[in-house]
Amino acid sequence: MFKKIFGFGKNKSKADEKIKVEDERLKIKELEELKLKEKAEREELEKLKIKEEEERKELEELKIKEEKERKELERLKIKKVENEIEIKKIEDSEKEEVSRKKGFFKSLKEKLEKTREGLFGKMKKLFSGRSIIDEDMYEELEDLLIQSDIGMDMTLKIVEKLEKEVKKRGIQDPNLVYDVLKDVMEGFLISEGTELEVDKPGMNIILVVGVNGVGKTTTIGKLAAKFVKDGKKVVIGAGDTFRAAAIEQLEEWADRAGADIIKHEQGSDPGAVVFDTLKAGENRDADIVIIDTAGRLHNKNNLMKELEKINTIIKKHVGNINYESLLVIDGTTGQNGLNQAKVFNEVTKLSGFVVTKLDGTAKGGIVFAISEELKKPIKFIGVGEGIEDLREFKSKEYIDAIFE
């Protein structure tokens, strides 16, 4: 009985042990499952974190993109406004330029009223008062042209050209001849090379010649004022040492214009003034040097020697570089002015002419005579006292202003 009981107890112990082992196994399994679950949850959590980070970065990128787009939109708006402002400025500038040109032409027309109402008014009446085109008409035209200081040779050229052009166009009405004459006379004016060549790098030189009383000193002063206004550094050389008044006038103009002036005492050597002026121009980094010359030399040989000396000094400084050599002529002196031009053209290499005082003459024919006979361009015309009244010569503008 005891054995049985003892055996039963033993079996029960084994069963308990087995149960205990099974429990332990189950616990281990549950623990492993729990760990796996925790791992899976942790991995899922990590994925969620990664996804959140990706979403956060994506959101940040979207914000950055939106900010860039906002800035770009703002930039485009600003650019649009700037473009609109620039377009408005250009339009205003163009309107101003058109207005200025209209005003300039109107002003030029007013300044040349004496010439237009004098010579060209008579010519218009000549054509409008006739019923046929005949030799008498051309002869009367010749008389008017000669009276206008155009000169005999130039007059014959104009009339001959006019007759050919009238026949070529088949014109029968005398009233239409005036417009043909306008075209013919414009053709005798040199339209190329009328601008001063003073934009070369370094120092540009303008030599100004002419007799006393033609407006030479005033022309130099106005040129200096124009260049200074354009931002140029200008040095003036008072090379007319024979007249104290010329030196004083240039000093006044230099002060008004904001230009430097190099001068010596009255009666000193003009060549020395020119030399010192060129040196000063180099040392002061001048853009433009304007040199005045004596205008009282009536003897052709003396004039030639003086100008040769000055040109030699200039060439020693600049070498073979071309420079402007301008002759100033009084537009009211007619054939005397033309004769002066011929003499100066013989003794020095002129690059062009400045014809002054055209607002004070009813003739004005010298402009055509100079341009055609000397084959050199007119670069400026003087039509008044103001600085703006020294105007660049444009053949078409001039013709339009004197022909009604």
Side-chain angles (χ1 to χ4, degrees), residues 24-286:
E24 287 291 328
R25 189 184 67 77
L26 288 172
K27 286 180 180 180
I28 291 169
K29 184 177 179 182
E30 286 177 359
L31 185 61
E32 287 177 349
E33 288 176 349
L34 185 61
K35 285 181 178 179
L36 288 172
K37 186 178 179 181
E38 286 179 351
K39 183 181 179 182
E41 289 176 349
R42 193 168 56 251
E43 288 176 351
E44 185 65 24
L45 184 62
E46 191 66 29
K47 286 180 181 178
L48 286 172
K49 286 182 178 180
I50 292 170
K51 187 176 180 182
E52 284 179 358
E53 180 65 19
E54 287 176 348
E55 289 175 348
R56 188 189 66 77
K57 286 182 177 179
E58 187 176 348
L59 184 62
E60 189 66 28
E61 288 175 355
L62 284 172
K63 287 182 179 179
I64 292 169
K65 186 178 180 181
E66 285 178 357
E67 181 64 16
K68 284 182 178 179
E69 289 175 348
R70 186 190 67 76
K71 287 182 177 179
E72 179 65 15
L73 185 62
E74 189 68 26
R75 189 188 69 81
L76 289 172
K77 285 181 180 178
I78 293 170
K79 186 71 176 175
K80 183 182 178 182
V81 172
E82 287 176 347
N83 287 340
E84 288 173 350
I85 293 171
E86 188 63 27
I87 290 169
K88 184 73 166 55
K89 282 182 180 178
I90 292 171
E91 288 175 348
D92 290 345
S93 177
E94 287 175 348
K95 287 178 182 177
E96 186 179 332
E97 181 65 13
V98 170
S99 177
R100 187 192 68 80
K101 285 184 176 179
K102 285 181 179 178
F104 179 90
F105 174 71
K106 182 180 179 182
S107 173
L108 182 62
K109 192 173 182 180
E110 290 171 353
K111 296 287 185 179
L112 295 172
E113 183 179 2
K114 285 187 178 181
T115 302
R116 186 176 62 259
E117 298 298 329
L119 166 63
F120 294 91
K122 291 177 183 177
M123 287 196 298
K124 190 168 188 180
K125 289 177 183 176
L126 165 66
F127 298 125
S128 61
R130 309 186 75 86
S131 58
I132 59 170
I133 297 173
D134 56 16
E135 287 300 316
D136 289 342
M137 183 192 75
Y138 288 118
E139 285 180 7
E140 286 186 40
L141 176 60
E142 284 182 5
D143 291 339
L144 284 176
L145 291 173
I146 291 170
Q147 291 170 23
S148 74
D149 292 332
I150 284 181
M152 179 62 75
D153 292 341
M154 189 69 218
T155 294
L156 294 176
K157 288 179 182 179
I158 290 173
V159 174
E160 182 183 354
K161 178 69 175 175
L162 178 65
E163 286 189 67
K164 288 180 180 178
E165 197 63 29
V166 167
K167 289 177 181 178
K168 181 180 177 182
R169 300 186 189 185
I171 292 173
Q172 303 293 326
D173 184 355
N175 289 290
L176 301 178
V177 176
Y178 188 72
D179 289 332
V180 182
L181 178 62
K182 178 180 177 181
D183 295 339
V184 168
M185 293 188 75
E186 183 180 353
F188 282 106
L189 293 175
I190 295 175
S191 58
E192 296 180 356
T194 59
E195 295 183 358
L196 286 179
E197 294 183 11
V198 289
D199 292 322
K200 299 186 295 293
M203 187 171 68
N204 294 269
I205 298 170
I206 303 173
L207 179 66
V208 183
V209 300
V211 301
N212 293 338
V214 296
K216 182 161 54 74
T217 305
T218 302
T219 296
I220 292 171
K222 290 179 179 180
L223 284 174
K226 284 177 179 289
F227 294 138
V228 171
K229 187 178 179 181
D230 290 338
K232 305 289 187 182
K233 172 69 175 177
V234 179
V235 175
I236 300 172
D240 186 356
T241 59
F242 293 100
R243 289 193 308 135
I247 300 172
E248 292 171 3
Q249 287 170 10
L250 275 183
E251 279 189 285
E252 291 177 9
W253 271 108
D255 288 340
R256 288 172 59 186
D260 294 347
I261 185 166
I262 305 301
K263 61 174 185 174
H264 287 191
E265 293 182 358
Q266 181 184 358
S268 57
D269 179 16
V273 177
V274 174
F275 181 86
D276 289 349
T277 301
L278 294 171
K279 276 293 182 185
E282 290 174 350
N283 294 335
R284 301 177 193 184
D285 293 324

